[in-house]
Amino acid sequence: MSASAAATVVTAAQKAQNFASQTVETARTEVLKEPLGFIKILQLFLALLAFATAASGGSELAFNRRCPNTSVNVLYIGKYNYPYDLKNAPLNPKQKECSDLKADRTTISTDSKNIVSSAQFFVFTGVTAFLYSIAFLIIYIFFRHKYNNIVYFPLIDFVSTCIFSIFWFAGSIAWSKAVSDLQHYTKLEFIIESMSFCNKININCYGNKNPTYTNLIVSCILGFGNLILWIGDVWFVIKETSWYKLRNQMNQESNNVASNNPISTSDINISAHYNPNDKI
């Protein structure tokens, strides 16, 4: 390595060290005690829990089919995972099928409606909200002076908070409907009724294992919890914008002018004099 290259590396390292030390010195952890920072922490954890539970809501179901004129029971197992595409979720026998008739399909359902798109949008909203909360927490703590002095930071924060509020509103409603549809299509009674080989004479199909929906239901609750947090955060973020501060300052100045120059009724002398000789 040449001397000039080594000097360049040393200079860059010194600049990075100076920047890191200045950043640490300007860190303001007390902002986490303020509503603006505290809500961001709640948004971070709630968004993490929302997309984590939504993406880990996979489960397994099973039912038996008794072969005709025998005592053999064939176990059929279905599994589904995120993004819950039931049209491609496998439903296969664990052992050799009955000789009379095979299953009329090898997937849990032939229709998934909008379950996949709703799940993907909900998880996308959760992941982006999580990353956004981390980014602005860093700005609040280490670059608070720039957040207060650069007009675009609060404006971006306000617009983004409004957008995420809309996303959580649309995503939570769509995901709740998708979870309801998923529960319907993975219900053992519905699957057995929709399988034609279970509707033959002397054929007995019965449930063996029901799927679980705990994570999916919890994710719906967390979605609406995120919605409440982000809508509430709009008020605290708008207070940081320049137009709100300017409007508040103008109101204070007008109040100060009014308090310094009060108008008293004693200062106003209104008198009326009637002269009969005056012409009307």
Side-chain angles (χ1 to χ4, degrees), residues 183-233:
Q183 289 176 317
H184 171 71
Y185 285 114
T186 57
K187 200 175 186 180
L188 287 179
E189 291 81 357
F190 175 81
I191 294 176
I192 291 173
E193 290 177 1
S194 63
M195 302 287 282
S196 61
F197 81 145
C198 283
N199 297 320
K200 302 295 182 180
I201 300 175
N202 298 326
I203 300 298
N204 186 13
C205 291
Y206 54 94
N208 182 283
K209 181 181 180 181
N210 290 301
T212 57
Y213 309 105
T214 304
N215 284 354
L216 300 179
I217 295 173
V218 170
S219 67
C220 293
I221 298 173
L222 291 171
F224 287 104
N226 275 286
L227 171 62
I228 295 172
L229 268 182
W230 285 88
I231 291 178
D233 193 32

Side-chain angles (χ1 to χ4, degrees), residues 40-52:
K40 269 291 179 290
I41 295 177
L42 294 179
Q43 289 172 343
L44 186 152
F45 284 106
L46 232 62
L48 173 63
L49 292 174
F51 78 77

Side-chain angles (χ1 to χ4, degrees), residues 36-37 48 54 58 60 67 72 80 124 142 149 171 180 188 193 195 230 242 255 275-276:
L36 191 68
L48 173 63
E60 184 178 279
C67 298
V72 177
Y80 60 88
F124 166 79
F142 297 103
N149 296 327
S180 177
L188 287 179
E193 290 177 1
M195 302 287 282
W230 285 88
S242 58
N255 292 334
N275 190 347

